[in-house]
Amino acid sequence: MTKINHFVGVDVSKDKFDVWDNVAGHRSYPNDSKGYRQFAKQLPANSFCVIEATASYYQQLAMYLYEHDIELVVVNPIITKCKQLQQVIVIYLKQNTSLKNHIPSLESRGVKSGVLIRSLKRQLKQVRQEIDLLEAEMQSLIQQYDADLFVNLSSIPGIGKKNSSFSYHFNQWFSRF
């Protein structure tokens, strides 16, 4: 078993592909056979490339690397995007809970109105709006990349759009193993 000790991120577009690693930093190559050769020559031994599946632009590079025994994985871009969205949603959900809990705490100490309560309620409303926006964006991404799975998950009794989004993210993550 080969020990992998050099990880490279690759973002492929129609005309070029951008590469980043912690040794050489950022580099760009033309998305053609000449660029593939230049890139492969500069890769240290025991490199592992992580390529985002962007339209069909990544396929030729992935095949070139595979044929030249360079370790790689192609990841669905929705995984990265949904994970980022989910991380921020979790932050907002924690803020939402904290704000909701703080209002009764103040009220139990006799603060039933005034600037503190109004401020907390405004913040609570804003956080809820942000959660709704991000959840809608996640649902939109899932429908864009895998509408059939989202529809199937949503059709299960008791599973709504939010749970379908979570289930989709979990399913995509779990399917890698």
Side-chain angles (χ1 to χ4, degrees):
M1 182 171 178
T2 304
K3 182 179 179 184
I4 297 170
N5 58 14
H6 186 83
F7 293 89
V8 181
V10 183
D11 184 25
V12 185
S13 62
K14 180 180 178 186
D15 298 322
K16 67 175 184 157
F17 62 99
D18 294 300
V19 175
W20 189 92
D21 65 50
N22 61 348
V23 175
H26 176 261
R27 301 176 309 275
S28 285
Y29 301 92
N31 190 5
D32 59 24
S33 57
K34 181 180 177 184
Y36 306 156
R37 285 191 302 275
Q38 290 173 343
F39 172 55
K41 283 182 188 177
Q42 294 181 0
L43 275 176
N46 300 328
S47 290
F48 187 87
C49 297
V50 179
I51 303 173
E52 186 175 84
T54 308
S56 62
Y57 304 134
Y58 73 94
Q59 292 174 341
Q60 293 300 316
L61 174 60
M63 288 305 299
Y64 180 89
L65 296 175
Y66 176 78
E67 290 168 357
H68 289 84
D69 296 321
I70 297 169
E71 297 285 335
L72 72 127
V73 65
V74 176
V75 296
N76 186 334
I78 193 170
I79 298 298
T80 305
K81 292 174 185 171
C82 279
K83 183 176 181 182
Q84 292 167 345
L85 284 169
Q86 213 163 20
Q87 288 172 337
V88 174
I89 289 170
V90 166
I91 290 169
Y92 284 145
L93 288 171
K94 288 178 181 178
Q95 289 178 347
N96 185 61
T97 301
S98 176
L99 291 167
K100 282 187 348 187
N101 291 340
H102 203 69
I103 292 171
S105 173
L106 285 173
E107 289 174 342
S108 71
R109 289 181 270 157
V111 181
K112 305 226 183 261
S113 62
V115 68
L116 289 176
I117 299 294
R118 286 192 307 272
S119 177
L120 289 170
K121 287 182 177 180
R122 278 194 311 271
Q123 286 301 310
L124 188 58
K125 181 179 178 182
Q126 182 63 39
V127 167
R128 286 180 182 153
Q129 288 174 344
E130 293 300 322
I131 291 168
D132 291 344
L133 284 170
L134 294 177
E135 286 176 342
E137 177 65 19
M138 186 181 308
Q139 290 170 14
S140 174
L141 283 170
I142 292 169
Q143 288 175 339
Q144 175 185 347
Y145 285 97
D146 204 341
D148 292 340
L149 180 58
F150 186 75
V151 168
N152 289 342
L153 288 170
S154 299
S155 71
I156 300 170
I159 302 290
K161 289 181 178 181
K162 288 180 186 179
N163 284 336
S164 295
S165 297
F166 174 78
S167 298
Y168 176 85
H169 178 74
F170 179 77
N171 181 52
Q172 292 300 309
W173 181 82
F174 190 70
S175 67
R176 294 181 298 172
F177 297 101

